[in-house]
């Protein structure tokens, strides 16, 4: 019996690697990354360790032509689940910009919202019994300039994706959003401007002073793509140890 295919956009992220490891025995993995396969040493090591069935496709989410091709690859492969993790992140994120033509601002909206919304809308028209999980962030509640553009892009994506989900509500497809709070270590290894002091300060604001582990996030995502969660659709789930109750400002 062939395995269902789970697509993971953002395979190079720490969450992408953790989740791929968790589901590797049950699913064939369609891994997607912005860089070439040869640049993902950790993913290659995971393949050797777990010896799972996979395919890899390189795609830049800021390039709509590449995104369109990726969408077609998903349809051809008849994926059963899609995890949306990847997206641009501003290296300098302490100042605001009010022009969509600004390169950083435009890239964030494109890679975190518009590209995913295009993919999901088209997949929901072409496939059945597809479960999508979009990874958002509890930072949408933050006040001040810290991560302002990133937070705005995530908020944009939530509203747009939920509107698309409503549009296809009578289909056999579903989408849910997971808002993650501060994780146990940096979400991606590509950026180093998040100091240990910044990290510790952020963690101290969490209930019980504990960050979210990648295993906890993977366990929740695994449930959301499973048959057991088939009645869960169009929901926003916060994995934050109850932090959102206080809507903490940073």
């Amino acid at each position: 019996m062939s395995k269902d295919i789970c697509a993971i956009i953002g395979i190079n992220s720490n969450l992408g690697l953790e989740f791929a490891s968790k589901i590797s025995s049950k699913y064939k993995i369609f891994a997607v990354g912005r860089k070439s396969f040869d640049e993902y040493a950790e993913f290659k090591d995971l393949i050797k360790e777990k010896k799972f069935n996979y395919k890899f496709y390189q795609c830049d989410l800021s390039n709509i032509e590449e995104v369109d091709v990726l969408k077609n690859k998903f349809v051809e492969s008849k994926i059963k689940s899609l995890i949306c993790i990847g997206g641009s992140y501003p290296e300098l994120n302490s100042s605001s910009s009010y022009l969509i033509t600004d390169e950083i601002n435009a890239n964030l909206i494109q890679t975190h919202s518009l590209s995913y919304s295009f993919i999901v809308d088209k997949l929901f028209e072409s496939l059945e019994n597809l479960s999508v999980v979009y990874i958002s962030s509890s930072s949408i509640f933050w006040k001040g300039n810290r991560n302002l553009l990133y937070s705005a892009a995530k908020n944009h994506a939530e509203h747009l994706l939920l509107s698309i989900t409503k549009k296809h509500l009578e289909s056999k497809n579903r989408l849910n959003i997971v808002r993650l709070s501060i994780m146990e270590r940096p979400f991606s290894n590509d950026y180093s401007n998040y100091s240990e002091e910044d990290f510790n300060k952020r963690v101290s604001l969490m209930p019980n002073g504990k960050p979210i582990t990648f295993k906890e996030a993977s366990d929740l995502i695994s449930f959301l793509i499973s048959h057991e969660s088939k009645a869960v659709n169009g929901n926003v789930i916060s994995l934050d140890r109850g932090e959102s109750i206080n809507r903490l400002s940073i």
Side-chain angles (χ1 to χ4, degrees):
M1 183 176 179
S2 61
K3 295 179 179 179
D4 287 343
I5 300 174
C6 177
I8 305 173
I9 302 179
I11 192 63
N12 60 309
S13 67
N14 286 317
L15 177 56
L17 292 167
E18 178 75 29
F19 183 68
S21 177
K22 178 177 179 61
I23 67 167
S24 59
S25 63
K26 296 182 179 180
Y27 293 83
K28 178 179 179 179
I29 294 173
F30 191 142
V32 181
R34 180 173 55 85
K35 300 178 182 178
S36 68
F37 178 75
D38 289 337
E39 295 185 71
Y40 291 148
E42 291 178 323
F43 181 53
K44 293 169 74 174
D45 289 342
L46 183 62
I47 294 168
K48 291 179 181 178
E49 176 189 350
K50 298 288 185 176
K51 297 180 174 61
F52 57 81
N53 196 353
Y54 78 97
K55 66 168 60 175
F56 177 86
Y57 190 79
Q58 184 178 356
C59 178
D60 181 354
L61 291 174
S62 67
N63 186 323
I64 195 61
E65 292 181 355
E66 291 187 22
V67 170
D68 188 35
V69 174
L70 177 63
K71 175 263 297 180
N72 291 334
K73 296 289 185 182
F74 286 161
V75 173
E76 292 168 7
S77 299
K78 297 181 180 179
I79 64 172
K80 286 299 183 182
S81 51
L82 169 63
I83 317 303
C84 306
I85 303 174
S88 304
Y89 194 83
E91 192 164 353
L92 299 173
N93 58 354
S94 60
S95 62
S96 59
S97 172
Y98 301 101
L99 295 175
I100 193 63
T101 52
D102 175 81
E103 184 177 355
I104 294 177
N105 196 348
N107 263 344
L108 285 167
I109 296 294
Q110 187 67 54
T111 62
H112 285 282
S113 183
L114 297 177
S115 289
Y116 284 126
S117 298
F118 170 78
I119 290 172
V120 170
D121 193 24
K122 298 303 180 184
L123 290 183
F124 278 14
E125 292 175 354
S126 304
L127 299 176
E128 288 188 347
N129 300 311
L130 173 67
S131 177
V132 178
V133 178
Y134 177 81
I135 302 303
S136 188
S137 171
S138 62
S139 69
I140 64 170
F141 298 115
W142 294 0
K143 308 298 186 294
N145 285 341
R146 181 75 178 181
N147 278 350
L148 176 63
L149 302 181
Y150 173 77
S151 302
K154 287 296 189 184
N155 217 327
H156 188 283
E158 287 194 13
H159 284 278
L160 189 50
L161 286 167
L162 290 176
S163 295
I164 290 170
T165 304
K166 183 178 180 181
K167 171 185 172 183
H168 296 278
L169 200 55
E170 298 304 316
S171 75
K172 296 180 181 179
N173 301 309
R174 57 197 180 94
L175 176 145
N176 292 286
I177 293 169
V178 174
R179 286 181 188 148
L180 296 177
S181 191
I182 184 72
M183 305 299 291
E184 61 186 311
R185 58 186 187 278
F187 205 72
S188 171
N189 297 320
D190 293 341
Y191 300 95
S192 58
N193 61 322
Y194 198 46
S195 70
E196 185 175 353
E197 181 181 357
D198 288 335
F199 175 80
N200 290 335
K201 180 180 178 181
R202 179 69 185 87
V203 170
S204 71
L205 296 174
M206 288 284 288
N208 300 314
K210 292 183 178 180
I212 303 300
T213 68
F214 288 108
K215 181 183 183 305
E216 289 169 331
S218 293
D219 287 347
L220 175 58
I221 298 167
S222 180
F223 167 71
L224 289 173
I225 67 170
S226 71
H227 181 73
E228 286 75 12
S229 68
K230 63 181 180 180
V232 184
N233 186 24
N235 285 274
V236 180
I237 302 168
S238 294
L239 192 61
D240 63 358
R241 305 200 191 285
E243 180 187 38
S244 57
I245 293 173
N246 295 321
R247 297 292 187 260
L248 294 176
S249 298
I250 303 279

